[in-house]
C-alpha cells in the first residue's frame, strides 16, 4: 500500500551568501591566525557549496557580509537569542513550502487530516505546527505529530509516519513539512568539526501532501512520487562519530572525519540485504536520492554502492546551489529529480547521529 505524494513544494530564504562571503564569515568567527585562516579557505573550496540561504541576512546584497549579517558580531549569540530567531523566521519559510505543495496538489486545506512537522534546529510551543494551522486555515482538529531533533535523515522518518497514518486510515490526508534554520547555529572558535559544519549548513523548508495511493481519484494531479517502503539501521560502533548537542551558544554539530569510511564499509551489505528482502536487486536501482551531507559523504556512498557520476548529479546540484539544509534537503533532491523527468525505482538515503542510516524505496 504505497504512499502517494500529490504535491511537493520547497522554499529558501530570499537572500544567500556565495562561497567568498561564506569564507570571510568563517574566518571571522573561527580563524585567529593566518594558518587557520588558510585551512578555513581550503575547507570552503572543498565543500562544493557555491551558495547558501539564511533567514538572518538583511539589507542590500551589495553590502559586506558583516553588514548583511548583524546577528553575528564580536560575541557569539546565546541560545535564547538563536531560539527567538527561530520563532520569528521558521514559520514564514515553512508556510511558503506548504503553500506550494498544496497549490500543486488537488487537495484543499479542509481535507488535511494529519500534520507532520520536522525540525532539529529550533523549538518553541505553540510552535510551527500551530502557526501552520492558523495561517493555512487547516481544520482545528487536524492531528499533529512532530519529528524533532533527529537530524538530516528526519524527512524519511516523517515519511514513515505519514505512511503509517494512511495504512491505518485510507482516508487520511497528510501535510508534511520539514523546516530547518541551520544558519542560526554558526559556531565561534577553533574546532575543526565546527569549521566544517559552518561551511556546509544552510536554511530551507520542504513540504508535501500525501495520501493512500488507492485513495487517489483517477485523473487527479500527482507528482508521480510513491513511497513503497522504508527502513533504518544504526551502524555499530559509530555512536561518537556524529552528534548534535544543545549548548549555551546554539546547537553544536560534531562530525568526525571517520564518518565517510563508516558509511563506505557498512552501507552496501545492509542495503543489499534490505532490498533483497523486497525482491529487488541493488543493481536494478537506477535513481539515487542521497542526502548531500557533504562531498565526502556522497563519495563514500558512490564507492560503497558503485554509483556512476550521473547518479549523484541531483544530490550534488542541491549541495552546490543550496548547501546542506538538514532534514529538508532530501525532499529538495527528490523535487529536482522529478523536475528532471526521472522515472522508475528510486532509493532515498540519509544519515544522522547514531550513526544512523535511513532508506526509502520510492517510485518516480
Amino acid at each position: 500500500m504505497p504512499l502517494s505524494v500529490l504535491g511537493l513544494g520547497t522554499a529558501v530564504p530570499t537572500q544567500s551568501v556565495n562561497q567568498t562571503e561564506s569564507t570571510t564569515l568563517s574566518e571571522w568567527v573561527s580563524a585567529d591566525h593566518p594558518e587557520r585562516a588558510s585551512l578555513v579557505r581550503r575547507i570552503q573550496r572543498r565543500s562544493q557549496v557555491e551558495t547558501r540561504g539564511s533567514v538572518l541576512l538583511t539589507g542590500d546584497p551589495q553590502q559586506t557580509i558583516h553588514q548583511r549579517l548583524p546577528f553575528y558580531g564580536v560575541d557569539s549569540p546565546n541560545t535564547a537569542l538563536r531560539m527567538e530567531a527561530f520563532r520569528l523566521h521558521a514559520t514564514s519559510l515553512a508556510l511558503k513550502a506548504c503553500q506550494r505543495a498544496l497549490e500543486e496538489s488537488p487537495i484543499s486545506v479542509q481535507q488535511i487530516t494529519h500534520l507532520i512537522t520536522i525540525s532539529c534546529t529550533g523549538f518553541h510551543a505553540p510552535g510551527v505546527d500551530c502557526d501552520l494551522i492558523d495561517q493555512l486555515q487547516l481544520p482545528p482538529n487536524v492531528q499533529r505529530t512532530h519529528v524533532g531533533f533527529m537530524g538530516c535523515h528526519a524527512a524519511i522518518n516523517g515519511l514513515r509516519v505519514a505512511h503509517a497514518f494512511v495504512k491505518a486510515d485510507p482516508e487520511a490526508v497528510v501535510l508534511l513539512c520539514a523546516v530547518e534554520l541551520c544558519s542560526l547555529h554558526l559556531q565561534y572558535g577553533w574546532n575543526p568539526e565546527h569549521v566544517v559544519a559552518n561551511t556546509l549548513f544552510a536554511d530551507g523548508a520542504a513540504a508535501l501532501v500525501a495520501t493512500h495511493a488507492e485513495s487517489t481519484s483517477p485523473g487527479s494531479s500527482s507528482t508521480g512520487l510513491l513511497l513503497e517502503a522504508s527502513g533504518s539501521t544504526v551502524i555499530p560502533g559509530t555512536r561518537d562519530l556524529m552528534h548534535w548537542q544543545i549548548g549555551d551558544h546554539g546547537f553544536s554539530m560534531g562530525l568526525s572525519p571517520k564518518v565517510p569510511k563508516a558509511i563506505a564499509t557498512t552501507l552496501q551489505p545492509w542495503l543489499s540485504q534490505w532490498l533483497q528482502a523486497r525482491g529487488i536487486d541493488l543493481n536494478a536501482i537506477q535513481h539515487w536520492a542521497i542526502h548531500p551531507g557533504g562531498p565526502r559523504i556522497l563519495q563514500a556512498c558512490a564507492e560503497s554502492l558503485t554509483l556512476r557520476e550521473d547518479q549523484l548529479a541531483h544530490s550534488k546540484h542541491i549541495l552546490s546551489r543550496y548547501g546542506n539544509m538538514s532534514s529538508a534537503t532530501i525532499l529538495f533532491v527528490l523535487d529536482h529529480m522529478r523536475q528532471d523527468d526521472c522515472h522508475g525505482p528510486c532509493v532515498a538515503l540519509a544519515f544522522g547521529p547514531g550513526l544512523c542510516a535511513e532508506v526509502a524505496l520510492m517510485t518516480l
Side-chain angles (χ1 to χ4, degrees):
M1 295 186 291
L3 178 77
S4 177
V5 178
L6 303 181
L8 177 58
T10 62
V12 293
T14 56
Q15 291 202 41
S16 62
V17 296
N18 59 34
Q19 193 178 96
T20 299
E21 293 170 313
S22 178
T23 302
T24 299
L25 180 63
S26 190
E27 288 183 54
W28 163 255
V29 300
S30 298
D32 54 1
H33 58 71
E35 288 184 7
R36 287 177 173 174
S38 178
L39 181 56
V40 164
R41 290 191 290 271
R42 289 200 300 273
I43 291 172
Q44 288 278 345
R45 287 194 298 270
R46 293 170 182 170
S47 72
Q48 299 181 14
V49 178
E50 297 298 328
T51 54
R52 294 185 291 161
S54 171
V55 296
L56 298 173
L57 290 163
T58 62
D60 187 343
Q62 301 303 314
Q63 293 178 309
T64 68
I65 185 59
H66 299 299
Q67 291 171 319
R68 296 174 64 204
L69 202 57
F71 188 79
Y72 291 116
V74 174
D75 297 320
S76 175
N78 62 36
T79 301
L81 288 172
R82 296 176 194 241
M83 290 301 92
E84 176 63 10
F86 185 89
R87 188 187 68 81
L88 291 173
H89 296 291
T91 295
S92 60
L93 203 59
L95 184 66
K96 288 179 184 178
C98 288
Q99 288 171 331
R100 289 167 182 168
L102 286 162
E103 286 169 2
E104 187 179 64
S105 81
I107 298 296
S108 72
V109 293
Q110 292 304 310
Q111 292 175 276
I112 301 295
T113 61
H114 295 73
L115 172 63
I116 300 171
T117 51
I118 303 164
S119 187
C120 70
T121 50
F123 303 99
H124 65 101
V128 172
D129 52 354
C130 289
D131 292 340
L132 291 176
I133 291 172
D134 289 343
Q135 297 187 36
L136 290 171
Q137 297 186 327
L138 298 175
N141 59 347
V142 67
Q143 298 180 48
R144 297 172 298 133
T145 303
H146 183 65
V147 178
F149 218 66
M150 293 196 77
C152 294
H153 59 58
I156 296 180
N157 300 93
L159 284 168
R160 182 177 300 125
V161 174
H163 202 183
F165 285 153
V166 302
K167 282 182 178 179
D169 178 6
E171 301 302 315
V173 181
V174 182
L175 174 61
L176 177 151
C177 181
V179 58
E180 303 286 12
L181 306 187
C182 302
S183 73
L184 302 186
H185 300 293
L186 189 77
Q187 294 296 301
Y188 283 50
W190 184 256
N191 178 317
E193 292 187 9
H194 291 170
V195 172
V196 171
N198 287 348
T199 299
L200 294 170
F201 285 93
D203 301 353
L208 57 84
V209 179
T211 190
H212 193 290
E214 295 179 1
S215 300
T216 307
S217 60
S220 293
S221 172
S222 174
T223 64
L225 275 174
L226 295 175
L227 173 66
E228 308 284 353
S230 62
S232 179
T233 192
V234 178
I235 301 173
T238 62
R239 186 179 180 88
D240 296 331
L241 299 190
M242 186 187 296
H243 61 80
W244 188 229
Q245 297 175 337
I246 300 175
D248 293 337
H249 296 275
F251 301 174
S252 169
M253 166 62 75
L255 189 63
S256 168
K258 297 178 181 179
V259 168
K261 183 178 179 180
I263 291 172
T265 56
T266 60
L267 180 59
Q268 193 275 344
W270 164 67
L271 191 55
S272 291
Q273 184 179 28
W274 186 83
L275 287 169
Q276 286 172 3
R278 286 149 187 83
I280 300 171
D281 186 86
L282 180 68
N283 295 322
I285 303 297
Q286 289 299 307
H287 302 296
W288 294 85
I290 299 176
H291 171 74
R296 292 188 63 203
I297 299 292
L298 290 176
Q299 185 60 35
C301 291
E303 291 174 2
S304 181
L305 302 172
T306 319
L307 301 182
R308 303 185 308 270
E309 186 66 22
D310 64 289
Q311 291 175 307
L312 297 175
H314 297 95
S315 296
K316 288 187 173 183
H317 172 83
I318 296 301
L319 180 66
S320 173
R321 185 172 179 183
Y322 301 112
N324 181 344
M325 299 167 286
S326 192
S327 68
T329 317
I330 196 72
L331 299 180
F332 275 74
V333 176
L334 287 166
D335 187 41
H336 189 252
M337 292 176 77
R338 73 188 182 107
Q339 290 181 17
D340 202 30
D341 208 26
C342 295
H343 296 287
C346 172
V347 166
L349 272 173
F351 308 92
L355 184 66
C356 295
E358 297 285 343
V359 61
L361 177 62
M362 308 191 76
T363 302
L364 292 166

